[in-house]
Amino acid sequence: MLNNYFKIARRRLSKYWVHSLINVVGISMAFCSAILLFLTANFEWSYDDFHHDKNSIYRLALKESQADGQAFSTKMPVPMMHNLKLAHPDAIQQATRYKEGSAQIRWKDNIFNKNIQYVDADFLKMFSFRLVKGNTNSPLDDASSIILSQQIASSIFGSNPPIGEILTLNLNGKQQPFVVRGILETPPANSSISADVLIRFENEPYYHMDLNDWNVRTHQVYLRLNDQTPASVFEKNVRTFMQRTYINYIENARSNGLSPDSEGQYISLHTTPLQEVHFYQLSEDNKSINPVYPKVLLAISILVMVIAYVNYINLTTSNAMSRAKEVGIRKYLGAKKDHLIFQFWGEASIVCCAGMLLGGILSVLLLPVYNSQFKVDLSYSQFIRPEVIWTILLFFVATTLFVGFYPAIVASRFNILEILKGKINSKIKISVINNGMLVVQFTISIFLITSTLVINQQVKLLQNKPLGYNRMEVISIPVGYEIDGYKLLDAMRLRLANYPQFVSITGADLNLGKGKDETSRQSKYGFTMQGKKILTNALNVDFDYPETLGLEFIAGRSFDKKYSTDSTQSCIINQAMANQLGLQSAIGAQLPLNGGKTIIGIVKDYNFSSLHSEIEPITILFNKPFGLSYLFVRIRPNSSSIATMKLLEKEYLNLAPKSEFLGSFLEDNVNKQYEKELRIYRIFSTASIIAILLSCFGLFAMSLLNIQQRTKEIGVRKVLGASVYSILALISKDFIKLVLVAILMASPLAYYGMYNWLQGFPYRIHIQWWVFLLSGVIALVIVLMTITLHSIKAASANPIKAVNGE
């Protein structure tokens, strides 16, 4: 009997091959999209899951009271970790500081620019980065030790054995030798913590300068707590330590009228579980993602599959009329409801299995394209992970049962006598259900179209909003490590003075946006001034920085070589910093930074960081120990960007021949900060196209069935004088009504979803009414284009043949 069921199913599917093809293609497209989106969501949720002690590792965050509310920071002062371990030795099992940087690495005559991480000896004891070579017991106990990942070791040494080799690192202009003590297995892509080149934190260039300074925050701190100490208990126990350490800060906060948090604390330490670090939105490193993002991916994958299966159910239930006699005879011969359900389930299994198999093959073939287009890092190994396989199997069983069960229920309700007499009264019920499913399809499609339009507007705002500086005609060039930043700047000034296309050149220790070196850092200082706690970003620059960037002064002046003190004792602040100081006249005021700095100018606020955060206070000063990490070159308008960049590369490599030229326009740097939003936009836009195509497949088949059922009616109307246009309107109006209902349902859903998404941006668009109108018009045009071909063909057919049923 089982073989007979599947034989009948195969024959029927081959007989109605057009509908079968629509279903298989639709399900394969949907499943391919769904599995890639599901794998992406699963990949995001799997971050840091490979660490054995992940449930007991936490990252620290500071919460402090400020004039505009509570502020969070994951940056810690250098003495924090050591003193915290001394204060709570029973609770803290292990701890490490963590700071990312970059360095020039020299081995023999070869030079490499690599990202490095400053950590403590407990780092490899806390985290499960596997050491494949070297001393597995204490590889970082020596301050001169260096640990490399397999990938980095291979790029430096090739096939040569690396253990014991001596590497020279250029750390902020200082050459330091390190001995390779171990090789790490290359960390997986789903690690929020990099482990490329590990050296002890004591080698950080400003470590000794900041060793006892609680105001300078430079790095992150990770703790591994004892199993007997829950994180919530630790946070309460550490309050005494914080109150004792920050007693002056707390007294100043009280005297300035700042409000404590809900637990009465002016400054407190909080813990973030390791597995939540990837989703921590308040982190300054801009590496985290919104925790809603993987949920959105999963939701889109489900919605796309819903559209595909709605197509299948619609076509199957609509075709139930053609199977009425078959069902009636089966029931007359004794077939029970479960037999019918099994028959329909067999057909659904064949279609779903074929569609999912084809979709799975497509997803494997398209994986490299998907990774490239959507900036993700999926691998083929993720297809065979146990949770993925079980999810697909459960999904297959559940969906095939549903899509087979529902049409069988519809068919099993047919009355045997009415079927055999040719009278069936279930047509209206089937039509209502099918129409409802079409509304669901187009509601999803219109929701995705509307969301895509809104996301596109927000991305354009982020990319095009005036930032307060010239980003179109300024090129940033990472200095590298082959030559000192100040020496390179002086040499480039002399060389570029000979070319008319260059307006000015300057340097700074921090970049604007995210350049080709893939770094994006900030430097913050805290100090007390007139009993008030001040926190400011700090930027070390050289002469001509405001002029090269086109910063606008609202008071005072810029740095000037005519004044000898400008390069040692002066600084420029922005409006936000002036407001924080709260002085009647900030010009001439002394700031206790680097031995004392006098404010000589105030610039209009500009977005020196991304538009994910509001403008913060910043102090622009000369601080030569910080060095210059970037050059900024302003070119004349209408200069050839390609020729100018090649000329800069030539001059740069003449001065630093062993370095890599990584120059880029600030416009490109700014846009790279919004790769996450661009990825969301690409996913939504692609999902919208797929949803529309799938909806069109279903609509195409449904309109064909509708016209076939109304063939005689159309013929009679034409005999009575109806025009092609009136028949076209007759056939189209029912579908247009469904789309209008879908627009009414999708619009508030899209508004609610996009409004909440936009709340995560300090600078955001206002959702306009025309977005919903445009989405509706797009949907209506697609519907009309889909059904017009069939409608015109039916309206133009010979009415005599239609009436006679030919």
Side-chain angles (χ1 to χ4, degrees):
M1 183 178 290
L2 182 64
N3 182 53
N4 183 52
Y5 282 155
F6 280 99
K7 186 183 294 184
I8 294 172
R10 189 182 69 252
R11 288 174 179 173
R12 181 165 184 84
L13 293 173
S14 61
K15 181 179 180 180
Y16 296 95
W17 66 271
V18 174
H19 291 162
S20 301
L21 182 63
I22 289 174
N23 282 324
V24 171
V25 171
I27 290 175
S28 64
M29 286 176 56
F31 185 70
C32 174
S33 307
I35 193 171
L36 289 173
L37 293 174
F38 167 72
L39 288 176
T40 305
N42 186 60
F43 176 77
E44 299 293 349
W45 279 321
S46 70
Y47 259 75
D48 300 314
D49 193 49
F50 62 94
H51 295 292
H52 299 311
D53 299 314
K54 56 183 178 290
N55 294 324
S56 58
I57 298 176
Y58 301 86
R59 186 177 68 180
L60 293 182
L62 273 171
K63 184 172 78 168
E64 53 191 326
S65 300
Q66 294 187 352
D68 55 352
Q70 301 296 317
F72 285 84
S73 174
T74 59
K75 301 294 186 182
M76 298 290 157
V78 172
M80 174 66 80
M81 185 199 73
H82 179 69
N83 285 274
L84 199 59
K85 287 181 71 174
L86 291 176
H88 297 275
D90 296 332
I92 300 174
Q93 188 168 339
Q94 291 158 341
T96 182
R97 290 164 293 200
Y98 177 83
K99 182 180 180 180
E100 294 186 345
S102 57
Q104 184 185 73
I105 301 177
R106 183 187 295 272
W107 181 63
K108 296 182 178 179
D109 294 329
N110 302 312
I111 296 176
F112 308 88
N113 293 320
K114 300 294 182 182
N115 292 325
I116 65 173
Q117 293 79 40
Y118 300 98
V119 299
D120 288 288
D122 282 347
F123 181 84
L124 292 177
K125 300 173 184 176
M126 293 171 59
F127 300 107
S128 301
F129 296 113
R130 193 168 69 90
L131 204 66
V132 294
K133 292 180 181 178
N135 184 352
T136 58
N137 295 322
S138 53
L140 277 173
D141 281 358
D142 187 351
S144 63
S145 297
I146 188 170
I147 308 295
L148 308 176
S149 70
Q150 287 176 312
Q151 183 178 1
I152 300 296
S154 177
S155 67
I156 295 176
F157 299 104
S159 58
N160 296 305
I163 301 299
E165 288 287 344
I166 297 177
L167 298 175
T168 302
L169 271 63
N170 185 329
L171 301 175
N172 201 34
K174 182 180 178 182
Q175 302 289 337
Q176 291 182 236
F178 289 87
V179 181
V180 179
R181 299 294 187 188
I183 303 299
L184 287 177
E185 184 178 44
T186 299
N190 59 341
S191 175
S192 61
I193 301 169
S194 300
D196 304 312
V197 179
L198 304 179
I199 59 175
R200 285 284 293 269
F201 194 86
E202 291 84 352
N203 295 297
E204 202 273 332
Y206 307 107
Y207 172 77
H208 296 288
M209 184 189 304
D210 302 331
L211 187 57
N212 298 306
D213 194 335
W214 289 86
N215 291 318
V216 180
R217 302 173 184 177
T218 61
H219 60 278
Q220 299 174 346
V221 171
Y222 287 87
L223 305 177
R224 181 184 172 195
L225 300 179
N226 288 319
D227 296 335
Q228 296 78 16
T229 307
S232 56
V233 173
F234 174 76
E235 290 179 1
K236 291 181 180 179
N237 292 343
V238 82
R239 287 178 184 173
T240 303
F241 167 80
M242 294 297 292
Q243 290 168 357
R244 182 176 66 250
T245 304
Y246 286 94
I247 184 171
N248 292 330
Y249 174 88
I250 295 171
E251 290 177 354
N252 291 332
R254 286 199 186 102
S255 62
N256 290 319
L258 299 183
S259 300
D261 63 14
S262 58
E263 297 182 346
Q265 304 299 308
Y266 289 94
I267 185 167
S268 54
L269 272 179
H270 294 263
T271 56
T272 303
L274 178 61
Q275 289 181 292
E276 295 180 15
V277 166
H278 183 56
F279 302 105
Y280 189 79
Q281 290 292 282
L282 301 175
S283 180
E284 296 95 332
D285 57 17
N286 200 31
K287 288 185 177 180
S288 61
I289 67 166
N290 193 314
V292 177
Y293 172 65
K295 297 177 183 177
V296 170
L297 296 180
L298 190 60
I300 293 176
S301 67
I302 293 173
L303 291 177
V304 170
M305 289 304 300
V306 166
I307 292 177
Y309 282 123
V310 164
N311 277 348
Y312 180 87
I313 294 173
N314 260 347
L315 292 176
T316 306
T317 52
S318 298
N319 275 325
M321 302 302 299
S322 64
R323 304 187 66 173
K325 286 188 178 180
E326 175 197 342
V327 172
I329 292 172
R330 283 179 175 276
K331 293 183 73 174
Y332 181 77
L333 295 176
K336 297 181 181 180
K337 184 180 291 187
D338 57 339
H339 295 159
L340 293 173
I341 291 174
F342 196 84
Q343 173 67 50
F344 278 81
W345 179 79
E347 294 178 10
S349 297
I350 293 175
V351 172
C352 292
C353 188
M356 293 176 74
L357 181 62
L358 181 58
I361 295 172
L362 283 174
S363 64
V364 172
L365 295 176
L366 294 176
L367 185 64
V369 178
Y370 179 82
N371 282 338
S372 174
Q373 289 296 314
F374 298 107
K375 308 299 180 185
V376 293
D377 197 13
L378 300 181
S379 63
Y380 292 111
S381 62
Q382 288 181 266
F383 286 90
I384 57 174
R385 294 183 65 173
E387 64 268 26
V388 173
I389 294 174
W390 278 110
T391 300
I392 292 174
L393 289 175
L394 291 173
F395 179 78
F396 172 77
V397 173
T399 52
T400 51
L401 280 175
F402 176 74
V403 299
F405 181 80
Y406 177 75
I409 291 296
V410 173
S412 65
R413 289 179 178 176
F414 291 162
N415 185 285
I416 298 178
L417 295 177
E418 289 185 344
I419 292 173
L420 297 178
K421 291 179 182 180
K423 301 177 182 179
I424 303 177
N425 58 11
S426 301
K427 181 178 177 180
I428 296 177
K429 294 180 180 179
I430 294 174
S431 177
V432 170
I433 293 170
N434 291 345
N435 289 344
M437 291 186 177
L438 280 175
V439 169
V440 170
Q441 280 186 315
F442 278 96
T443 298
I444 295 171
S445 299
I446 295 168
F447 171 84
L448 291 173
I449 293 171
T450 307
S451 300
T452 300
L453 292 173
V454 173
I455 294 170
N456 181 49
Q457 287 181 291
Q458 178 63 21
V459 170
K460 286 184 176 179
L461 171 71
L462 296 175
Q463 292 179 331
N464 301 323
K465 182 183 180 298
L467 301 178
Y469 61 86
N470 187 335
R471 62 181 179 179
M472 303 300 296
E473 298 157 358
V474 178
I475 299 171
S476 75
I477 307 170
V479 169
Y481 301 93
E482 188 175 349
I483 185 172
D484 176 75
Y486 287 100
K487 292 180 180 179
L488 179 63
L489 175 59
D490 291 339
M492 288 289 283
R493 272 199 177 112
L494 292 174
R495 288 172 175 265
L496 299 187
N498 299 319
Y499 301 101
Q501 59 264 53
F502 298 110
V503 178
S504 62
I505 181 172
T506 186
D509 66 329
L510 301 175
N511 202 359
L512 286 166
K514 189 176 181 181
K516 289 184 178 180
D517 59 351
E518 298 296 326
T519 61
S520 179
R521 297 182 291 115
Q522 287 180 271
S523 180
K524 291 189 177 183
Y525 278 90
F527 57 89
T528 302
M529 185 172 175
Q530 297 182 358
K532 187 177 183 180
K533 181 69 176 180
I534 302 296
L535 184 64
T536 179
N537 288 271
L539 178 66
N540 177 47
V541 304
D542 200 81
F543 289 105
D544 301 324
Y545 185 84
E547 292 75 16
T548 301
L549 271 296
L551 303 184
E552 182 181 342
F553 279 84
I554 60 173
R557 61 177 178 84
S558 182
F559 298 115
D560 195 328
K561 294 180 181 179
K562 292 189 299 184
Y563 302 96
S564 59
T565 56
D566 275 11
S567 61
T568 56
Q569 302 173 18
S570 301
C571 68
I572 297 170
I573 64 174
N574 67 344
Q575 290 172 286
M577 180 61 177
N579 294 335
Q580 184 181 200
L581 292 172
L583 303 174
Q584 288 186 348
S585 177
I587 300 296
Q590 295 282 329
L591 300 182
L593 283 172
N594 303 117
K597 299 290 182 181
T598 302
I599 300 173
I600 62 171
I602 302 175
V603 296
K604 188 176 180 179
D605 282 341
Y606 67 101
N607 294 94
F608 56 88
S609 60
S610 76
L611 294 177
H612 292 105
S613 58
E614 295 182 350
I615 295 175
E616 297 179 345
I618 187 170
T619 303
I620 304 171
L621 67 160
F622 279 80
N623 187 10
K624 287 211 169 184
F626 274 25
L628 298 178
S629 301
Y630 298 90
L631 303 185
F632 294 92
V633 182
R634 184 171 181 175
I635 65 175
R636 295 192 184 279
N638 303 320
S639 297
S640 171
S641 58
I642 298 176
T644 302
M645 193 68 78
K646 286 184 177 179
L647 181 57
L648 281 174
E649 181 177 10
K650 174 187 172 184
E651 296 296 346
Y652 174 86
L653 293 178
N654 283 335
L655 298 169
K658 295 183 179 180
S659 298
E660 182 182 7
F661 178 77
L662 298 173
S664 59
F665 279 91
L666 292 186
E667 171 74 1
D668 298 328
N669 292 5
V670 169
N671 289 339
K672 285 187 71 174
Q673 296 177 121
Y674 309 116
E675 290 175 341
K676 297 174 189 175
E677 287 71 29
L678 281 170
R679 180 168 57 176
I680 293 174
Y681 169 69
R682 292 191 190 103
I683 288 174
F684 263 86
S685 57
T686 304
S688 300
I689 293 171
I690 293 172
I692 290 168
L693 285 175
L694 292 175
S695 298
C696 288
F697 285 166
L699 186 62
F700 179 85
M702 288 297 296
S703 63
L704 179 59
L705 285 170
N706 183 274
I707 291 169
Q708 288 173 350
Q709 291 176 354
R710 303 177 71 172
T711 301
K712 288 189 177 181
E713 177 190 349
I714 293 172
V716 171
R717 287 180 179 274
K718 288 197 67 178
V719 169
L720 295 176
S723 64
V724 173
Y725 175 79
S726 64
I727 293 175
L728 180 61
L730 174 71
I731 297 172
S732 303
K733 70 176 184 180
D734 292 335
F735 292 106
I736 291 175
K737 288 178 182 178
L738 298 179
V739 175
L740 292 175
V741 173
I743 293 171
L744 293 176
M745 293 178 63
S747 296
L749 293 174
Y751 178 84
Y752 177 78
M754 289 296 98
Y755 176 83
N756 284 285
W757 178 72
L758 289 171
Q759 299 312 301
F761 298 91
Y763 306 93
R764 52 183 177 266
I765 64 166
H766 296 288
I767 302 177
Q768 304 293 327
W769 61 269
W770 61 263
V771 172
F772 305 101
L773 177 62
L774 180 59
S775 302
V777 169
I778 292 172
L780 286 171
V781 169
I782 291 171
V783 168
L784 290 174
M785 289 175 63
T786 304
I787 65 177
T788 295
L789 181 62
H790 284 322
S791 301
I792 292 176
K793 184 178 179 181
S796 303
N798 188 330
I800 303 301
K801 291 183 178 181
V803 172
N804 292 331
E806 298 180 16

